[in-house]
Amino acid sequence: MKKQSIKPRLIAFEVTRRCRYNCRHCRACAGYAGDEKEPNLRQCKKILSAVAKYKKCVIILTGGEPMEREDIYEIIQYGRGLRLQMVMATCGYLIDEQSIRKLKKVGIRALSFSLDGANAETHDAFRQTKGAFDAVINAARIAREARVRFQINTTISKANLDESVGIAHLAKRLGAYCFNPFILVPTGRGREMVDEIIEPLEYETLLNELLRIKLESDIEIRVTCGPQFARVCRQAKAKHLTDEVKGCMGGRGFGFISCTGDVQICGFLDVSAGNLIENNFNFGKIWEKSQLLSEIRNISNYKGACTTCEYVGVCGGCRARAYAMTGDYMAEDPVCSYEAGSKR
Ligand code: SF4
Ligand code: SF4
């Protein structure tokens, strides 16, 4: 197995937990009340400066809804000044002609819009907000017209599994460069959705369907919280994809900084490797020396089916889903049906 680099290439930074929506799956339990946990502008700048010591890092501004911060433009501009690539995950309800112009001006590189249904009924029910579907479709149109690259993020559960291919087609029609399904991890408000996690066999079918779309269509397909997609690509011997499609990058190339300054492998595994504010914003020290991160990077410690799986080095299983569903982040990923030794 190839030794994986731990240099962070992609860091999601939770700049707020404010949001006007009340999405059923929200890992951040975001809501409209209060911003007492939010890092102030000075702290945001210190955090970005700390991460910028690693060259060429991409920062995903996330939330809550990052556009709820009035100083979001200043944060983006500051990151750009540090030569960070600044992108943002948004629900889209605050994207209009004026805000997209300002985002472009301060140097946003790309956006991701959350779209959880192929129609208003499914999406609005997921977001528990009427009009959410129209808002995101409108935001995508505005981004396309302003020539800002965007992708579509979709959390997949039993509620929208049947629409996943339809959402991929809709993403293409909207002008997205990428369709990025997230396989539900039941954390935050999503804990209430544990029964809506798709079954292992349905999941396997979905991954193969996504591979088919990836091979046949010119829209890019990435799968988040679904590291088994890396295994499926290798099983299908989709050769040109084997280097491109990675399994779980959490704690390796990918990391997460919460709105309270906690460094995590990802936003879905709510266990802190160390707090930036308490550690004088020394991101490198936490990233390279934390016991939690060393433990998670050591795949030989993984348990259950992942112990003997010949794909553990490329997939790794989702540590966050293992933790959310079993209480042990080293356990096997409950949505995976692969049996070791059945390599084709
Ligand atoms: S058994 Fe574990 S490592 Fe193997 S494919 Fe499944 S989740 Fe990935
Ligand atoms: S632990 Fe799961 S959600 Fe987190 S980065 Fe890995 S695959 Fe994604």
Side-chain angles (χ1 to χ4, degrees), residues 83-96:
R83 307 180 86 98
L84 293 164
Q85 306 288 325
M86 304 298 286
V87 304
M88 182 168 65
T90 170
C91 300
Y93 61 77
L94 288 174
I95 298 291
D96 57 20

Side-chain angles (χ1 to χ4, degrees), residues 124-137:
D124 290 2
F126 220 74
R127 305 254 141 199
Q128 305 201 94
T129 311
K130 213 165 170 36
F133 181 79
D134 292 345
V136 71
I137 298 294

Side-chain angles (χ1 to χ4, degrees), residues 104-220:
K104 268 184 93 167
K105 194 166 167 221
V106 294
I108 197 79
R109 288 293 294 239
L111 297 173
S112 60
F113 294 119
S114 307
L115 178 62
D116 296 313
N119 54 60
E121 197 187 345
T122 312
H123 181 78
D124 290 2
F126 220 74
R127 305 254 141 199
Q128 305 201 94
T129 311
K130 213 165 170 36
F133 181 79
D134 292 345
V136 71
I137 298 294
N138 190 43
R141 177 189 58 77
I142 290 168
R144 188 185 64 237
E145 287 172 6
R147 296 180 183 275
V148 173
R149 268 161 61 89
F150 66 91
Q151 66 176 54
I152 294 294
N153 293 348
T154 301
T155 298
I156 304 284
S157 68
K158 283 182 181 163
N160 63 0
L161 177 64
D162 291 348
E163 292 176 33
S164 50
V165 173
I167 302 170
H169 291 311
L170 176 57
K172 191 164 167 355
R173 282 201 305 280
L174 289 170
Y177 74 93
C178 176
F179 172 55
N180 190 346
F182 283 54
I183 310 306
L184 178 66
V185 178
T187 53
R189 251 193 319 265
R191 272 199 290 267
E192 302 297 316
M193 292 182 72
V194 74
D195 293 339
E196 291 177 57
I197 293 176
I198 55 177
E199 300 296 333
L201 290 178
E202 291 172 331
Y203 177 50
E204 208 64 19
T205 306
L206 171 70
L207 291 177
N208 280 284
E209 189 61 16
L210 290 169
L211 175 61
R212 186 188 61 74
I213 298 172
K214 189 170 175 76
L215 293 171
E216 290 175 3
S217 162
D218 53 5
I219 189 164
E220 226 180 278

Side-chain angles (χ1 to χ4, degrees), residues 185 224-227 247-251 254 265-269 317-321 333:
V185 178
T224 299
C225 324
C248 173
M249 298 301 293
F254 177 75
I265 74 159
C266 69
F268 296 96
L269 181 51
C318 175
R319 301 295 108 219
R321 197 162 29 238
D333 184 342

Side-chain angles (χ1 to χ4, degrees), residues 228 231 305-306 309 311-312 315-317 333 336 338:
Q228 295 79 10
R231 161 176 58 78
C306 301
C309 177
Y311 292 104
V312 68
C315 163
D333 184 342
C336 181
Y338 184 71

Side-chain angles (χ1 to χ4, degrees), residues 8 10-13 249-257 264-266 283 287:
L10 197 60
I11 297 286
F13 179 19
M249 298 301 293
R252 298 162 180 105
F254 177 75
F256 176 87
I257 298 170
Q264 299 172 201
I265 74 159
C266 69
F283 177 75
W287 189 256

